[in-house]
Amino acid sequence: MDNPASGKIGIFDSGYGGLTILDSIRALLPKYDYIYLGDNARSPYGTRSFEVVYDFTLQGVKKLYSMGCKLTILACNTASAKALRSIQQNDLQNMGPQAKVLGVIRPTTEIIGRYTVSRHVGLFGTVGTVQSRSYDLEIAKFFPDIQLSSVACPLWVPLIENGEAGSPGADYFVKKYCDELLSKDSGIDCVILACTHYPLLENKIRKYLPEHIRILSQGPVVAAALQNYLVRHKQIEESIGKNGTCRFYTTEQVPKFNDSASIFLKEPVEAIHIRL
Ligand code: DGL
């Protein structure tokens, strides 16, 4: 009898943001087995140095690999910008022949040309993502005619991680960064939410941007890219279990994670505490 595949797809983020990616991935690819790992205890990553983001992300990737993840998605732009390449080049070969890690920046920059007519695109991201200039460099490769204007929003992730995304106080900081972006370039017709936490503020962001501006959340984009990757990498696809399960791990308090994640995913979540 064939051995049923037992591998998992790992989804890693500094905290709750990766849930926006997980949600879209599971909607498109419900049959696979997933493990979500949120490093809530050390979130936010967005203002941390290159070395620290790399160390924390590598710890997360190693932990997910040790739990059976054949493929891990860094569902975090900051980690994708600051750690992905080093992990792919220096660390994966020491972990095992099947260890694979993908990020969220490449899938977004590959398709951004479809979302803009004016060719003026805006971006909201963490300080780390904006300073890394990863989006500028990647977009220039695929769509050299696009002009990108970026605004770092250091207060958005702390608002979300502390359960304040829906509060009236959050409006002040959402409007502040929206105004900043519009003052940089009034010609933009598309804005990338280049932090996986930001879809949790999307209703408020919508309020403070002109209606004609499209808001691009990465969930569906990353889900489609993963589907495509699995079609092209049969061996990995075959190694992943297909029981439709999802386990959740957090480095912070479990009850708080369960409450926030259950509200967002609209299903009961029972996470397990983990140390990295
Ligand atoms: N959600 C992450 C991102 O996409 C990280 C945010 C943070 O921890 O600052 O950048």
Side-chain angles (χ1 to χ4, degrees):
M1 201 177 99
D2 283 345
N3 251 347
S6 61
K8 316 273 184 288
I9 297 175
I11 310 284
F12 177 76
D13 181 49
S14 65
Y16 298 115
L19 295 173
T20 65
I21 302 289
L22 175 74
D23 197 35
S24 297
I25 288 179
R26 279 170 77 207
L28 186 68
L29 304 166
K31 69 179 175 190
Y32 297 113
D33 295 331
Y34 298 94
I35 297 182
Y36 184 88
L37 171 52
D39 190 10
N40 301 75
R42 302 188 293 193
S43 176
Y45 280 12
T47 43
R48 294 186 187 272
S49 70
F50 225 94
E51 290 71 26
V52 170
V53 173
Y54 167 67
D55 284 348
F56 287 0
T57 305
L58 182 58
Q59 288 168 11
V61 167
K62 283 187 172 164
K63 184 63 82 176
L64 284 165
Y65 188 68
S66 76
M67 292 192 288
C69 293
K70 305 293 182 201
L71 173 65
T72 289
I73 314 287
L74 299 185
C76 173
N77 288 269
T78 311
S80 300
K82 292 187 157 187
L84 177 63
R85 182 159 305 180
S86 305
I87 292 175
Q88 284 175 332
Q89 286 176 353
N90 307 329
D91 302 296
L92 287 187
Q93 68 263 35
N94 304 324
M95 287 167 54
Q98 274 215 324
K100 295 279 178 291
V101 181
L102 303 173
V104 290
I105 296 179
R106 179 72 183 253
T108 312
T109 53
E110 269 174 2
I111 53 91
I112 190 62
R114 291 185 217 152
Y115 288 79
T116 170
V117 175
S118 72
R119 313 312 269 173
H120 287 242
V121 172
L123 178 146
F124 293 126
T126 65
V127 175
T129 298
V130 170
Q131 280 179 354
S132 76
R133 297 187 52 81
S134 300
Y135 275 88
D136 306 68
L137 299 170
E138 287 288 315
I139 290 177
K141 274 191 227 156
F142 296 114
F143 304 102
D145 60 326
I146 287 182
Q147 194 175 315
L148 182 71
S149 299
S150 303
V151 168
C153 314
L155 288 160
W156 285 3
V157 171
L159 284 169
I160 294 161
E161 286 288 314
N162 289 292
E164 295 290 336
S167 76
D171 280 70
Y172 176 83
F173 288 105
V174 172
K175 182 173 184 314
K176 177 180 157 77
Y177 298 134
C178 287
D179 288 349
E180 205 178 307
L181 183 62
L182 294 171
S183 74
K184 278 193 168 182
D185 185 352
S186 57
I188 57 177
D189 62 356
C190 167
V191 171
I192 306 170
L193 301 186
C195 170
T196 55
H197 281 69
Y198 297 172
L200 297 162
L201 281 174
E202 189 167 339
N203 291 343
K204 289 195 192 291
I205 296 169
R206 181 72 279 166
K207 236 165 83 180
Y208 295 108
L209 290 178
E211 238 170 74
H212 71 277
I213 296 183
R214 293 178 81 171
I215 298 177
L216 179 63
S217 294
Q218 295 174 298
V221 173
V222 174
L226 174 60
Q227 184 178 44
N228 188 275
Y229 181 90
L230 292 172
V231 169
R232 288 184 290 112
H233 297 82
K234 268 276 150 255
Q235 220 185 332
I236 296 175
E237 199 279 335
E238 282 163 7
S239 73
I240 297 166
K242 296 170 185 70
N243 307 297
T245 63
C246 187
R247 298 206 312 264
F248 295 86
Y249 292 86
T250 176
T251 55
E252 245 303 333
Q253 296 172 56
V254 166
K256 186 173 176 236
F257 184 92
N258 289 347
D259 286 349
S260 301
S262 309
I263 293 169
F264 177 71
L265 294 174
K266 298 180 190 73
E267 65 177 82
V269 168
E270 291 203 17
I272 297 165
H273 183 261
I274 202 167
R275 283 214 164 135
L276 296 182

